[in-house]
């Protein structure tokens, strides 16, 4: 017997003498693409259709092959197919339900391909008809809600979530997706949160559910309806979180903790790689930004996850799959749900996030990693200006060992993990900022990220000054990093000024030093720390002198940088006063004592002896900052980010690869 092959909806014998035969489902699709109602000649047409295994490739391809005018001619049949799909979702037979879900996916994707501005038809009218749209979508959302909340098939729930993701991502700009208006009216939040609050479902569907929520929050975000949808989601999330009576509370947060934790990849040789996942980072950002009570979840302890070890081969530096779309594997996700053990180093979402950030922020050359690095810094900005978060970060009774990943550099040794001290978490945040400062002084200078990095440090210092928190931190590392950054700006003045206003960053750095000079006695741990600050300024006086010369030169010229450079000139007044006050006294001490080069202790001795005669000017506003605002400053970034995520999610929605074999085994009998 000749072997049968299947291609593009055709069944054909390998012998060329026979005419190709079409699958029955393909013949039925062809009838739908005629102008006549297919059920006229065959009353059981729709009933039979949903017993046939869906041929997604053929159905989508057929829709894409028609032009707008041809599609309009069969609008009634498409409306009919859409409505019968929704009816089939209420069937008892799961095979019909599965086929209806997959058909809806193909139909929505295929019709949306035609929905260009030149096509002259409306997507809602094409799929449902204006007069029936409201009822259709109400019935569709109710059916999806029932399927997601029902006991039973996880594969079916997965397909429901895939359909919802399909609905959300058919347009690059989700705010232009008119179907979403109906999705928001007929809220699906409860069903998604129920999935997230049940550990087995969360392991199976957590990724899709969290990404779906993150995208829904961004629908028309900067309009009134968008703001309301964000508040609505916030209400659902936090009502669930605060209800201590529920057995499985905080499903969204558990899912998010697992997702962030599972973005780590490591191989046997401890070469760390990380899969940048913009969708999950966006979900974390929305959780932090929408409701600051989420900070309490950041602090919740769970056993240290460690890194996922791959016994097979080293993890690729660049993920093979498109960035921002790949769900973590379920075995990774389940690893967090363990009982706490007194002998296990505890962790929390914030520690996991800091570790993740330390890897993502190492390489900002790739566009996706640059976006992820920026998003990490925005999340840290929100955390750094939150009162509760700061109280937790600075709590001396809550100490953690945080192993941040440091970029290999020739001039420094790799720190041994076992020597990591247990410290308040703010130390790890500061370490992360210092690490970024020292590792990104390069030709493609990430100015925007540097500004955000310095802002995070400034906000933490403002909290320490306000609450008089004396943090035991190696401040000298920060001071040294900041001075080296100033030196980099000066040595690359011409190249950098062609692209950036480097004086904005220089002013922020100088004002950090002014913050230490003016208020250091309220938050530096010991008087000797304050002495060390002066020593560092005096030791590196040449850098500050050079900076002053540079800004003075540009502020006295009538060029474009006059005003920006002038601000730095004025900000340097106290640093210059310190240098001009102490340097002559140090030189005099050296001359009197016949010492060619003074030791650090000798310099400090001169400093301590001459504080009383130093005069500094009071500078206003050093401990003030502008609070983070997404709508006015970051809207363009988030619109582009959501567009990128939407495109990637759509590209990777694999309906045709969602194993129909698994589904058929699950529903092998139709009773």
């Amino acid at each position: 017997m000749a072997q049968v092959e299947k291609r593009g909806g055709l069944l054909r014998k390998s012998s060329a003498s026979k005419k190709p035969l079409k699958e029955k489902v393909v013949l039925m699709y062809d009838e739908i693409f005629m102008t006549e109602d297919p059920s006229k000649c065959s009353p059981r047409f729709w009933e039979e259709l949903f017993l046939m295994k869906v041929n997604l490739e053929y159905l989508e391809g057929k829709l894409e092959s028609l032009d707008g005018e041809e599609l309009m001619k069969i609008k009634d049949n498409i409306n009919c197919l859409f409505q019968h799909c929704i009816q089939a979702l209420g069937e008892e037979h799961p095979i019909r339900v599965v086929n209806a879900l997959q058909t809806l996916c193909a139909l929505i994707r295929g019709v949306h391909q035609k929905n260009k501005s030149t096509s002259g038809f409306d997507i809602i009218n094409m799929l449902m008809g204006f007069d029936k749209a409201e009822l259709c979508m109400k019935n569709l959302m109710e059916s999806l809600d029932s399927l997601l909340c029902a006991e039973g098939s996880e594969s079916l729930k997965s397909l429901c979530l895939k359909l919802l993701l399909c609905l959300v991502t058919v347009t690059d700009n989700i705010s232009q997706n008119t179907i979403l208006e109906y999705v928001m009216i007929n809220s699906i939040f409860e069903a998604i949160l129920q999935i997230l609050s049940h550990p087995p479902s969360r392991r199976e569907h957590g990724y899709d559910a969290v990404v779906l929520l993150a995208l829904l929050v961004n629908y028309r975000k900067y309009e009134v309806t968008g703001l309301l949808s964000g508040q609505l989601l916030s209400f659902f999330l936090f009502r669930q979180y605060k209800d201590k009576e529920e057995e499985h509370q905080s499903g969204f947060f558990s899912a998010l903790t697992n997702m962030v934790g599972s973005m780590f990849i490591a191989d046997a040789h401890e070469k760390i790689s990380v899969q940048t996942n913009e969708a999950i980072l966006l979900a974390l950002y929305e959780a932090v930004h929408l409701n600051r009570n989420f900070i309490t979840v950041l602090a919740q302890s769970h056993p240290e996850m460690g890194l996922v070890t791959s016994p097979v081969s080293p993890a690729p530096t660049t993920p093979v799959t498109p960035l921002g779309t790949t769900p973590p594997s379920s075995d990774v996700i389940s690893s967090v749900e363990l009982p706490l053990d007194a002998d296990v180093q505890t962790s929390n979402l914030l520690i996991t996030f800091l570790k993740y950030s330390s890897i993502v922020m190492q390489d900002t050359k790739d566009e996706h990693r640059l976006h992820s690095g920026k998003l990490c810094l925005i999340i840290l900005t929100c955390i750094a200006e939150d009162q509760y978060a700061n109280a937790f970060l600075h709590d001396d009774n809550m100490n953690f060992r945080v192993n941040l990943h440091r970029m290999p550099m020739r001039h420094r040794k790799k720190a041994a993990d076992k020597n990591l001290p247990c410290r308040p978490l703010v130390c790890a945040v500061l370490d992360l900022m210092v690490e970024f400062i020292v590792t990104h002084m390069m030709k493609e200078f990430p100015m925007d990220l540097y500004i955000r990095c310095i802002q995070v440090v400034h906000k933490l210092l403002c909290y320490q000054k306000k609450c008089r928190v004396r943090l035991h931190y190696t401040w000298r590392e920060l001071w040294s990093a900041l001075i080296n950054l100033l030196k980099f700006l000066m040595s690359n003045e011409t190249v950098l000024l062609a692209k950036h206003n480097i004086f904005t960053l220089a002013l922020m750095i100088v004002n950090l030093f002014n913050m230490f000079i003016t208020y250091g006695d309220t938050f530096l741990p010991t008087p000797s720390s304050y002495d060390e600050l002066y020593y560092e300024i005096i030791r590196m006086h040449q850098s500050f002198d050079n900076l002053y010369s540079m800004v003075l030169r540009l502020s006295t010229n009538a060029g474009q940088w006059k005003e920006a450079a002038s601000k730095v000139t004025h900000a340097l007044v106290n640093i210059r006063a310190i240098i001009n006050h102490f340097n002559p006294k140090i030189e005099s001490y050296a001359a009197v004592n016949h010492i060619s080069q003074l030791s650090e202790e000798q310099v400090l001795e001169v400093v301590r002896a001459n504080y009383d005669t130093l005069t500094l000017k009071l500078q206003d506003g050093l401990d003030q900052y502008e609070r983070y605002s997404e709508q006015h400053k970051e809207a363009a970034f988030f619109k582009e980010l959501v567009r990128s995520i939407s495109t990637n999610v759509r590209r990777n929605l694999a309906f045709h690869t969602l194993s129909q074999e698994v589904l058929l085994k699950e529903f092998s009998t139709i009773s």
Side-chain angles (χ1 to χ4, degrees), residues 303-338:
E304 178 67 88
M305 280 175 277
L307 298 171
V308 185
T309 345
S310 166
V312 190
S313 60
T317 312
T318 308
V320 194
T321 48
L323 297 160
T325 57
T326 313
S329 60
S330 56
D331 60 324
V332 173
I333 294 170
S334 61
S335 68
V336 182
E337 304 200 18
L338 301 166

mmCIF file of all heavy atoms in Angstrom, residues 303-338:
data_model
loop_
_atom_site.group_PDB
_atom_site.id
_atom_site.type_symbol
_atom_site.label_atom_id
_atom_site.label_comp_id
_atom_site.label_asym_id
_atom_site.label_seq_id
_atom_site.Cartn_x
_atom_site.Cartn_y
_atom_site.Cartn_z
ATOM 1 N N PRO A 303 13.250 29.775 51.467
ATOM 2 C CA PRO A 303 14.588 29.176 51.409
ATOM 3 C C PRO A 303 15.360 29.667 50.198
ATOM 4 O O PRO A 303 14.773 29.966 49.164
ATOM 5 C CB PRO A 303 14.291 27.680 51.258
ATOM 6 C CG PRO A 303 12.901 27.512 51.708
ATOM 7 C CD PRO A 303 12.194 28.785 51.408
ATOM 8 N N GLU A 304 16.667 29.755 50.374
ATOM 9 C CA GLU A 304 17.522 30.221 49.277
ATOM 10 C C GLU A 304 17.370 29.288 48.087
ATOM 11 O O GLU A 304 17.531 28.081 48.203
ATOM 12 C CB GLU A 304 18.987 30.229 49.749
ATOM 13 C CG GLU A 304 19.986 30.654 48.694
ATOM 14 C CD GLU A 304 19.818 32.101 48.310
ATOM 15 O OE1 GLU A 304 20.422 32.960 48.948
ATOM 16 O OE2 GLU A 304 19.068 32.351 47.358
ATOM 17 N N MET A 305 17.039 29.858 46.920
ATOM 18 C CA MET A 305 16.811 29.033 45.737
ATOM 19 C C MET A 305 18.113 28.541 45.134
ATOM 20 O O MET A 305 18.186 27.479 44.564
ATOM 21 C CB MET A 305 16.046 29.834 44.687
ATOM 22 C CG MET A 305 14.576 29.901 44.962
ATOM 23 S SD MET A 305 13.776 30.973 43.788
ATOM 24 C CE MET A 305 14.050 32.555 44.512
ATOM 25 N N GLY A 306 19.128 29.357 45.229
ATOM 26 C CA GLY A 306 20.357 29.018 44.537
ATOM 27 C C GLY A 306 20.142 29.137 43.047
ATOM 28 O O GLY A 306 19.149 29.655 42.579
ATOM 29 N N LEU A 307 21.076 28.626 42.284
ATOM 30 C CA LEU A 307 20.961 28.712 40.832
ATOM 31 C C LEU A 307 20.619 27.344 40.278
ATOM 32 O O LEU A 307 20.965 26.321 40.832
ATOM 33 C CB LEU A 307 22.281 29.209 40.234
ATOM 34 C CG LEU A 307 22.677 30.607 40.701
ATOM 35 C CD1 LEU A 307 24.082 30.911 40.228
ATOM 36 C CD2 LEU A 307 21.721 31.642 40.187
ATOM 37 N N VAL A 308 19.957 27.363 39.152
ATOM 38 C CA VAL A 308 19.546 26.117 38.522
ATOM 39 C C VAL A 308 20.743 25.537 37.795
ATOM 40 O O VAL A 308 21.342 26.188 36.965
ATOM 41 C CB VAL A 308 18.443 26.413 37.488
ATOM 42 C CG1 VAL A 308 17.931 25.128 36.916
ATOM 43 C CG2 VAL A 308 17.337 27.220 38.131
ATOM 44 N N THR A 309 21.104 24.311 38.123
ATOM 45 C CA THR A 309 22.279 23.731 37.479
ATOM 46 C C THR A 309 21.903 22.899 36.272
ATOM 47 O O THR A 309 20.986 22.115 36.329
ATOM 48 C CB THR A 309 23.036 22.816 38.451
ATOM 49 O OG1 THR A 309 22.583 23.075 39.755
ATOM 50 C CG2 THR A 309 24.499 23.036 38.390
ATOM 51 N N SER A 310 22.599 23.133 35.207
ATOM 52 C CA SER A 310 22.344 22.359 33.996
ATOM 53 C C SER A 310 23.464 21.347 33.823
ATOM 54 O O SER A 310 24.604 21.709 33.597
ATOM 55 C CB SER A 310 22.294 23.300 32.800
ATOM 56 O OG SER A 310 22.360 22.547 31.628
ATOM 57 N N PRO A 311 23.183 20.047 33.970
ATOM 58 C CA PRO A 311 24.246 19.053 33.923
ATOM 59 C C PRO A 311 24.730 18.754 32.506
ATOM 60 O O PRO A 311 25.715 18.117 32.298
ATOM 61 C CB PRO A 311 23.594 17.817 34.518
ATOM 62 C CG PRO A 311 22.133 18.001 34.242
ATOM 63 C CD PRO A 311 21.874 19.474 34.182
ATOM 64 N N VAL A 312 23.992 19.252 31.496
ATOM 65 C CA VAL A 312 24.285 18.838 30.130
ATOM 66 C C VAL A 312 25.366 19.683 29.485
ATOM 67 O O VAL A 312 26.434 19.219 29.148
ATOM 68 C CB VAL A 312 22.997 18.898 29.265
ATOM 69 C CG1 VAL A 312 23.248 18.233 27.922
ATOM 70 C CG2 VAL A 312 21.850 18.218 29.983
ATOM 71 N N SER A 313 25.093 20.961 29.319
ATOM 72 C CA SER A 313 26.043 21.810 28.610
ATOM 73 C C SER A 313 26.000 23.209 29.169
ATOM 74 O O SER A 313 25.025 23.598 29.793
ATOM 75 C CB SER A 313 25.684 21.844 27.120
ATOM 76 O OG SER A 313 24.379 22.352 26.975
ATOM 77 N N PRO A 314 27.066 23.996 28.947
ATOM 78 C CA PRO A 314 27.057 25.377 29.445
ATOM 79 C C PRO A 314 25.886 26.153 28.866
ATOM 80 O O PRO A 314 25.522 25.969 27.714
ATOM 81 C CB PRO A 314 28.396 25.941 28.927
ATOM 82 C CG PRO A 314 29.239 24.750 28.660
ATOM 83 C CD PRO A 314 28.309 23.649 28.272
ATOM 84 N N ALA A 315 25.334 27.027 29.704
ATOM 85 C CA ALA A 315 24.196 27.840 29.247
ATOM 86 C C ALA A 315 24.670 28.840 28.219
ATOM 87 O O ALA A 315 25.726 29.432 28.367
ATOM 88 C CB ALA A 315 23.586 28.574 30.431
ATOM 89 N N PRO A 316 23.900 29.032 27.160
ATOM 90 C CA PRO A 316 24.312 30.015 26.157
ATOM 91 C C PRO A 316 24.223 31.425 26.710
ATOM 92 O O PRO A 316 23.343 31.721 27.507
ATOM 93 C CB PRO A 316 23.283 29.816 25.028
ATOM 94 C CG PRO A 316 22.095 29.204 25.702
ATOM 95 C CD PRO A 316 22.629 28.420 26.858
ATOM 96 N N THR A 317 25.154 32.268 26.295
ATOM 97 C CA THR A 317 25.116 33.658 26.756
ATOM 98 C C THR A 317 23.883 34.355 26.232
ATOM 99 O O THR A 317 23.251 35.128 26.901
ATOM 100 C CB THR A 317 26.365 34.418 26.257
ATOM 101 O OG1 THR A 317 27.491 33.599 26.540
ATOM 102 C CG2 THR A 317 26.525 35.737 26.958
ATOM 103 N N THR A 318 23.537 34.058 24.980
ATOM 104 C CA THR A 318 22.326 34.638 24.400
ATOM 105 C C THR A 318 21.283 33.551 24.314
ATOM 106 O O THR A 318 21.530 32.505 23.741
ATOM 107 C CB THR A 318 22.616 35.165 22.982
ATOM 108 O OG1 THR A 318 23.746 36.012 23.056
ATOM 109 C CG2 THR A 318 21.422 35.918 22.438
ATOM 110 N N PRO A 319 20.104 33.762 24.904
ATOM 111 C CA PRO A 319 19.075 32.738 24.833
ATOM 112 C C PRO A 319 18.697 32.447 23.384
ATOM 113 O O PRO A 319 18.699 33.329 22.534
ATOM 114 C CB PRO A 319 17.895 33.378 25.582
ATOM 115 C CG PRO A 319 18.498 34.442 26.414
ATOM 116 C CD PRO A 319 19.703 34.908 25.688
ATOM 117 N N VAL A 320 18.372 31.175 23.113
ATOM 118 C CA VAL A 320 18.041 30.771 21.756
ATOM 119 C C VAL A 320 16.664 31.293 21.376
ATOM 120 O O VAL A 320 16.409 31.690 20.265
ATOM 121 C CB VAL A 320 18.041 29.229 21.646
ATOM 122 C CG1 VAL A 320 18.050 28.806 20.189
ATOM 123 C CG2 VAL A 320 19.251 28.647 22.352
ATOM 124 N N THR A 321 15.755 31.281 22.352
ATOM 125 C CA THR A 321 14.405 31.750 22.076
ATOM 126 C C THR A 321 14.354 33.267 22.145
ATOM 127 O O THR A 321 15.195 33.879 22.790
ATOM 128 C CB THR A 321 13.436 31.189 23.129
ATOM 129 O OG1 THR A 321 14.022 31.405 24.396
ATOM 130 C CG2 THR A 321 13.190 29.733 22.921
ATOM 131 N N PRO A 322 13.366 33.898 21.503
ATOM 132 C CA PRO A 322 13.273 35.363 21.573
ATOM 133 C C PRO A 322 13.166 35.837 23.003
ATOM 134 O O PRO A 322 12.538 35.188 23.838
ATOM 135 C CB PRO A 322 11.986 35.659 20.798
ATOM 136 C CG PRO A 322 11.830 34.504 19.873
ATOM 137 C CD PRO A 322 12.377 33.321 20.615
ATOM 138 N N LEU A 323 13.802 36.938 23.274
ATOM 139 C CA LEU A 323 13.869 37.445 24.637
ATOM 140 C C LEU A 323 12.520 37.944 25.111
ATOM 141 O O LEU A 323 11.721 38.437 24.335
ATOM 142 C CB LEU A 323 14.870 38.597 24.689
ATOM 143 C CG LEU A 323 16.296 38.186 24.336
ATOM 144 C CD1 LEU A 323 17.096 39.401 23.936
ATOM 145 C CD2 LEU A 323 16.958 37.493 25.490
ATOM 146 N N GLY A 324 12.301 37.837 26.399
ATOM 147 C CA GLY A 324 11.107 38.422 26.987
ATOM 148 C C GLY A 324 9.868 37.570 26.845
ATOM 149 O O GLY A 324 8.778 38.005 27.136
ATOM 150 N N THR A 325 10.016 36.328 26.391
ATOM 151 C CA THR A 325 8.806 35.556 26.130
ATOM 152 C C THR A 325 8.840 34.146 26.681
ATOM 153 O O THR A 325 7.830 33.473 26.722
ATOM 154 C CB THR A 325 8.597 35.418 24.614
ATOM 155 O OG1 THR A 325 9.763 34.820 24.055
ATOM 156 C CG2 THR A 325 8.373 36.749 23.960
ATOM 157 N N THR A 326 10.000 33.657 27.058
ATOM 158 C CA THR A 326 10.097 32.243 27.358
ATOM 159 C C THR A 326 9.758 31.933 28.800
ATOM 160 O O THR A 326 10.379 32.459 29.708
ATOM 161 C CB THR A 326 11.541 31.763 27.087
ATOM 162 O OG1 THR A 326 11.925 32.268 25.832
ATOM 163 C CG2 THR A 326 11.620 30.265 27.098
ATOM 164 N N PRO A 327 8.774 31.068 29.035
ATOM 165 C CA PRO A 327 8.427 30.730 30.410
ATOM 166 C C PRO A 327 9.493 29.861 31.042
ATOM 167 O O PRO A 327 10.106 29.048 30.352
ATOM 168 C CB PRO A 327 7.115 29.953 30.272
ATOM 169 C CG PRO A 327 7.134 29.430 28.881
ATOM 170 C CD PRO A 327 7.932 30.393 28.060
ATOM 171 N N PRO A 328 9.749 30.044 32.342
ATOM 172 C CA PRO A 328 10.693 29.175 33.020
ATOM 173 C C PRO A 328 10.119 27.778 33.137
ATOM 174 O O PRO A 328 8.914 27.599 33.127
ATOM 175 C CB PRO A 328 10.864 29.810 34.402
ATOM 176 C CG PRO A 328 9.792 30.801 34.521
ATOM 177 C CD PRO A 328 9.169 31.041 33.197
ATOM 178 N N SER A 329 10.998 26.777 33.263
ATOM 179 C CA SER A 329 10.511 25.399 33.338
ATOM 180 C C SER A 329 9.840 25.135 34.674
ATOM 181 O O SER A 329 10.195 25.705 35.691
ATOM 182 C CB SER A 329 11.686 24.438 33.147
ATOM 183 O OG SER A 329 12.639 24.659 34.155
ATOM 184 N N SER A 330 8.891 24.223 34.663
ATOM 185 C CA SER A 330 8.069 24.001 35.857
ATOM 186 C C SER A 330 8.872 23.417 37.014
ATOM 187 O O SER A 330 8.568 23.644 38.171
ATOM 188 C CB SER A 330 6.897 23.080 35.526
ATOM 189 O OG SER A 330 7.386 21.869 34.974
ATOM 190 N N ASP A 331 9.943 22.644 36.708
ATOM 191 C CA ASP A 331 10.723 22.075 37.812
ATOM 192 C C ASP A 331 11.461 23.150 38.575
ATOM 193 O O ASP A 331 11.686 23.052 39.772
ATOM 194 C CB ASP A 331 11.715 21.018 37.301
ATOM 195 C CG ASP A 331 12.700 21.614 36.305
ATOM 196 O OD1 ASP A 331 12.279 22.487 35.529
ATOM 197 O OD2 ASP A 331 13.865 21.205 36.319
ATOM 198 N N VAL A 332 11.817 24.224 37.870
ATOM 199 C CA VAL A 332 12.464 25.360 38.536
ATOM 200 C C VAL A 332 11.467 26.063 39.443
ATOM 201 O O VAL A 332 11.757 26.394 40.576
ATOM 202 C CB VAL A 332 12.983 26.357 37.474
ATOM 203 C CG1 VAL A 332 13.498 27.606 38.152
ATOM 204 C CG2 VAL A 332 14.101 25.721 36.660
ATOM 205 N N ILE A 333 10.264 26.263 38.911
ATOM 206 C CA ILE A 333 9.246 27.003 39.650
ATOM 207 C C ILE A 333 8.914 26.301 40.963
ATOM 208 O O ILE A 333 8.802 26.912 42.005
ATOM 209 C CB ILE A 333 7.975 27.147 38.788
ATOM 210 C CG1 ILE A 333 8.275 28.032 37.581
ATOM 211 C CG2 ILE A 333 6.841 27.754 39.591
ATOM 212 C CD1 ILE A 333 7.185 28.063 36.549
ATOM 213 N N SER A 334 8.818 24.982 40.917
ATOM 214 C CA SER A 334 8.398 24.255 42.120
ATOM 215 C C SER A 334 9.465 24.254 43.201
ATOM 216 O O SER A 334 9.192 23.979 44.355
ATOM 217 C CB SER A 334 8.050 22.808 41.759
ATOM 218 O OG SER A 334 9.189 22.163 41.229
ATOM 219 N N SER A 335 10.699 24.585 42.824
ATOM 220 C CA SER A 335 11.791 24.494 43.794
ATOM 221 C C SER A 335 11.648 25.446 44.970
ATOM 222 O O SER A 335 12.232 25.246 46.008
ATOM 223 C CB SER A 335 13.129 24.752 43.095
ATOM 224 O OG SER A 335 13.194 26.090 42.674
ATOM 225 N N VAL A 336 10.860 26.510 44.800
ATOM 226 C CA VAL A 336 10.732 27.491 45.881
ATOM 227 C C VAL A 336 9.791 27.004 46.966
ATOM 228 O O VAL A 336 9.910 27.369 48.113
ATOM 229 C CB VAL A 336 10.204 28.823 45.311
ATOM 230 C CG1 VAL A 336 10.121 29.868 46.403
ATOM 231 C CG2 VAL A 336 11.132 29.297 44.218
ATOM 232 N N GLU A 337 8.847 26.184 46.595
ATOM 233 C CA GLU A 337 7.792 25.825 47.535
ATOM 234 C C GLU A 337 8.266 24.718 48.478
ATOM 235 O O GLU A 337 7.867 23.570 48.396
ATOM 236 C CB GLU A 337 6.543 25.430 46.752
ATOM 237 C CG GLU A 337 6.146 26.567 45.831
ATOM 238 C CD GLU A 337 4.717 26.483 45.395
ATOM 239 O OE1 GLU A 337 3.938 25.761 46.035
ATOM 240 O OE2 GLU A 337 4.377 27.144 44.422
ATOM 241 N N LEU A 338 9.180 25.074 49.349
ATOM 242 C CA LEU A 338 9.752 24.150 50.303
ATOM 243 C C LEU A 338 9.539 24.684 51.707
ATOM 244 O O LEU A 338 9.440 25.880 51.907
ATOM 245 C CB LEU A 338 11.272 24.023 50.061
ATOM 246 C CG LEU A 338 11.705 23.547 48.670
ATOM 247 C CD1 LEU A 338 13.187 23.818 48.494
ATOM 248 C CD2 LEU A 338 11.417 22.078 48.501
#
